[in-house]
Amino acid sequence: MAQQTTCYRVEEIPVEETTLGATDFLIPVAHFHQTIFQCFNHPFLFKVTEGETLQSVKGRMVDRFKDIPEKEFEKYKFTLITHGRMNPLGDDFVFNSSDFITNIDMDSKPINEAHLDVFLHSRPWLGLEHALKPPKRSRYNYVEKPVKIHNQ
């Protein structure tokens, strides 16, 4: 008998997103650079209301990403990823639950291993396209000299 493994994803959810109304739903969001296969940082879930515009969602995301300057956030490109295809979104894009909830989500049958790969790659998600910028190093690091140890 083969040993089964289970993976769980744990993330901290902001207090304002802990309760979902009748028209609210969670969408998966991930950061990527140029292609959807170059993802980085941690993916997360974001609460969206039915009929909400991308402009409104951007405003709430700026509040959530407090460590990213607003000028840097303006460079982010928002993309809807469905079946491995990137669809760029404009500020007038309106979120509908039908765009993010697929038929496989509605199916009451449990997902077996054969369908797991198809399920994970066919589930729509919101992509944030931007370059990964490493944190700036302190200028004092450049003046430090390395320590040399001579073994005799």
Side-chain angles (χ1 to χ4, degrees):
M1 184 173 205
Q3 183 180 2
Q4 293 182 350
T5 59
T6 304
C7 294
Y8 295 99
R9 191 178 99 192
V10 178
E11 70 179 76
E12 184 177 354
I13 299 174
V15 176
E16 60 272 4
E17 294 189 11
T18 55
T19 56
L20 292 177
T23 60
D24 296 336
F25 58 98
L26 296 174
I27 58 171
V29 182
H31 301 265
F32 71 96
H33 180 62
Q34 294 180 338
T35 70
I36 58 173
F37 305 106
Q38 294 180 350
C39 292
F40 55 89
N41 284 353
H42 297 286
F44 59 95
L45 296 173
F46 194 78
K47 181 172 114 175
V48 175
T49 304
E50 186 82 27
E52 188 173 11
T53 62
L54 180 61
Q55 186 65 34
S56 172
V57 169
K58 281 183 179 180
R60 291 191 300 119
M61 275 196 188
V62 167
D63 295 339
R64 187 167 181 177
F65 299 140
K66 293 180 173 85
D67 56 336
I68 299 173
E70 201 166 326
K71 280 194 169 195
E72 185 67 32
F73 190 78
E74 289 173 1
K75 297 177 186 175
Y76 285 24
K77 296 176 188 170
F78 287 73
T79 309
L80 178 62
I81 314 297
T82 310
H83 298 291
R85 293 189 187 100
M86 299 186 328
N87 303 313
L89 303 178
D91 286 344
D92 57 343
F93 176 79
V94 176
F95 286 90
N96 294 309
S97 59
S98 60
D99 294 335
F100 291 90
I101 300 173
T102 61
N103 291 338
I104 199 164
D105 291 338
M106 303 293 195
D107 196 0
S108 60
K109 297 177 200 167
I111 299 171
N112 61 23
E113 261 184 67
H115 295 107
L116 183 61
D117 191 48
V118 173
F119 172 75
L120 291 175
H121 290 93
S122 66
R123 188 155 202 189
W125 53 281
L126 182 65
L128 304 179
E129 182 181 2
H130 60 97
L132 175 60
K133 295 198 173 188
K136 292 183 180 178
R137 295 191 326 185
S138 171
R139 63 184 176 153
Y140 299 111
N141 288 345
Y142 298 115
V143 296
E144 292 178 7
K145 292 186 178 183
V147 176
K148 294 182 181 178
I149 301 173
H150 299 283
N151 292 334
Q152 293 182 358

